[in-house]
Amino acid sequence: LLVLPTYKELLPLIGLRRLVIINLCCSALAVLWSILHFRLHQSWTTNAILSSFIFDLVGGGNTTRLVIVLSCIAQISPPEDLTKAYNYMSGCFYLAVVSGSALGSLLLSHHVYILNALSIFGYIFTACLAATIPSHCGREVESTDVTRPLLPASTEVGTPGSTAVKLGTPHQRSFIRILFDSWHSSYQSVTTLFATPNPTFTVLLVFLINGVAVRVEVLLPQYTSLALHWPLSTVNLALAFKSLVSALVLLALPSLRERYLEPHMSTASIDLLITQISLLANTLGMVMLGFSAPAPVFILALCVYTSGIGLSDSLTAYGTLTLPPLEKISEFYVRIGLVNEIAALVGAPLWSGLFSLVLRGGVLSPGSPFWVCALLFGMAVGGIMALRKWLMPSREI
């Protein structure tokens, strides 16, 4: 909540390349600190875990890195290709999750130091790749006329609009002034998080509902082991399979929309359709997961739920394309990041507490939290229906 606005303020001053390198180096230092602490004390304490977060306070962690990268991509990508770019990024991420999980399972028991060393090497190698980002990236996009939507009001929603690039020189400010400005911006962003006109307000509300709902995944390892009597190794294989399905769905979406949807629908309409179908898949998958069923049915339910993985990318692109006047793209992505962080803070303890109550009560089915989650996804479907109604008058312009 503090670092994200700071990086947003620094982006037009020092550019995307330096910020990403700083972020990755801080993540590598956090892992190195963990190794050194465990090596010196032969124990892993709560203080060590909390102290490693200091590096995230400087670097921003995964959320900050993702927000600034996505906001820059939104500035330079053609509107009709924005969702495709996000899909490919997310698909590659889930492929990396599968590979990392497999490698971690092999090395965790006997070669934990090698595993952490590989993690540090991955961060450093990625930082070297980030050094190839053009130096003007980030500086130039923040000087772009971003106070108007990518899709002008005089055109059909979903039709790519052109944006004029106006290069400028950002004002020189001291770092202390930047910190104060960014913290003030953070306070304003949190207190006015939903103080935006439609459709941005509804988009953020759907992000919040979906963000709380998807945090039910914190229950999946324990629930899977309890319902199917699987050992932890088998549960990990099932979760790795879920990540693989996510990657395949995300990598297939760009081709499917280009071949079957783009000839008949506008870009914004496609994004809404994919978001709605994803929410319906999530709802159905949660309902199925709530029932006690044999392993094949459980895996099928997991696949149905996972097939809705394209929601976030499509909803982000739709929100970007339909930003109202005077709303900056960078501010919109900061709002998305803040909404996701708030949803994580609320969702994880909410579902864990509810699951604990269900198990201790012994009256309700252990799958009851998943049915409650299905209701939340259903509420998000209502939000998408509202966005669709908002889109219909825009077509008449």
Side-chain angles (χ1 to χ4, degrees):
L1 296 179
L2 291 176
V3 180
L4 183 54
T6 303
Y7 268 52
K8 188 195 77 171
E9 294 289 329
L10 289 173
L11 184 60
L13 300 178
I14 65 176
L16 178 67
R17 179 173 66 185
R18 293 180 180 178
L19 286 181
V20 172
I21 291 175
I22 293 173
N23 177 280
L24 293 168
C25 289
C26 287
S27 298
L29 288 174
V31 179
L32 180 60
W33 168 257
S34 303
I35 296 175
L36 293 177
H37 187 279
F38 186 81
R39 181 68 177 176
L40 293 175
H41 300 279
Q42 294 299 312
S43 64
W44 187 238
T45 63
T46 303
N47 290 334
I49 297 175
L50 294 177
S51 61
S52 65
F53 291 151
I54 296 176
F55 297 97
D56 280 338
L57 187 61
V58 177
N62 294 331
T63 299
T64 299
R65 180 171 64 250
L66 184 63
V67 167
I68 62 174
V69 170
L70 292 184
S71 63
C72 287
I73 291 176
Q75 294 283 358
I76 64 177
S77 177
E80 66 273 13
D81 294 333
L82 187 58
T83 311
K84 299 175 188 176
Y86 291 166
N87 287 158
Y88 284 129
M89 285 182 58
S90 301
C92 291
F93 168 79
Y94 280 103
L95 283 180
V97 168
V98 174
S99 303
S101 299
L103 185 61
S105 300
L106 293 174
L107 298 178
L108 185 59
S109 300
H110 306 289
H111 306 284
V112 64
Y113 290 111
I114 298 179
L115 178 61
N116 284 276
L118 288 175
S119 177
I120 295 174
F121 172 78
Y123 281 123
I124 295 176
F125 179 73
T126 309
C128 293
L129 292 179
T132 63
I133 297 175
S135 59
H136 65 268
C137 190
R139 294 178 177 177
E140 183 177 278
V141 297
E142 285 296 317
S143 301
T144 305
D145 181 14
V146 295
T147 59
R148 58 189 178 91
L150 291 180
L151 299 182
S154 59
T155 62
E156 178 185 356
V157 174
T159 304
S162 61
T163 55
V165 177
K166 298 179 181 180
L167 299 179
T169 303
H171 299 290
Q172 299 297 323
R173 292 177 293 169
S174 67
F175 184 72
I176 300 298
R177 178 63 184 272
I178 292 173
L179 284 179
F180 280 114
D181 288 347
S182 64
W183 291 338
H184 179 69
S185 174
S186 177
Y187 171 77
Q188 284 187 323
S189 297
V190 172
T191 55
T192 62
L193 190 57
F194 295 97
T196 58
N198 269 320
T200 305
F201 170 79
T202 306
V203 169
L204 292 174
L205 189 60
V206 172
F207 264 117
L208 180 62
I209 297 173
N210 179 73
V212 173
V214 297
R215 291 319 186 279
V216 78
E217 294 183 12
V218 301
L219 306 181
L220 278 179
Q222 184 179 358
Y223 177 74
T224 304
S225 178
L226 179 67
L228 300 177
H229 307 288
W230 282 354
L232 184 59
S233 58
T234 307
V235 172
N236 288 337
L237 286 176
L239 296 180
F241 176 73
K242 173 181 174 295
S243 297
L244 180 61
V245 172
S246 299
L248 295 177
V249 170
L250 288 166
L251 294 176
L253 274 176
S255 298
L256 291 175
R257 64 182 289 151
E258 183 176 356
R259 182 171 182 178
Y260 297 106
L261 299 178
E262 288 183 355
H264 310 287
M265 304 173 66
S266 65
T267 303
S269 298
I270 294 173
D271 287 328
L272 274 187
L273 177 63
I274 293 176
T275 303
Q276 188 171 5
I277 293 175
S278 298
L279 284 170
L280 292 175
N282 290 337
T283 304
L284 179 59
M286 284 292 106
V287 172
M288 295 173 65
L289 285 172
F291 291 100
S292 297
V297 178
F298 180 87
I299 295 299
L300 176 62
L302 197 62
C303 290
V304 171
Y305 166 73
T306 307
S307 63
I309 194 65
L311 181 149
S312 180
D313 293 338
S314 294
L315 189 58
T316 301
Y318 173 83
T320 305
L321 296 175
T322 57
L323 277 179
L326 303 180
E327 181 74 16
K328 294 183 179 180
I329 290 179
S330 59
E331 182 64 28
F332 172 65
Y333 277 79
V334 169
R335 289 179 187 271
I336 292 177
L338 293 175
V339 166
N340 287 331
E341 288 300 311
I342 293 173
L345 290 173
V346 173
L350 173 66
W351 296 118
S352 298
L354 182 59
F355 190 57
S356 178
L357 289 175
V358 169
L359 292 181
R360 284 187 294 178
V363 178
L364 299 176
S365 168
S368 299
F370 295 96
W371 295 335
V372 176
C373 180
L375 292 177
L376 287 180
F377 282 126
M379 292 173 57
V381 172
I384 300 304
M385 296 300 294
L387 289 176
R388 189 173 295 280
K389 291 180 180 178
W390 180 89
L391 185 63
M392 292 172 63
S394 299
R395 288 181 173 179
E396 298 174 0
I397 298 178

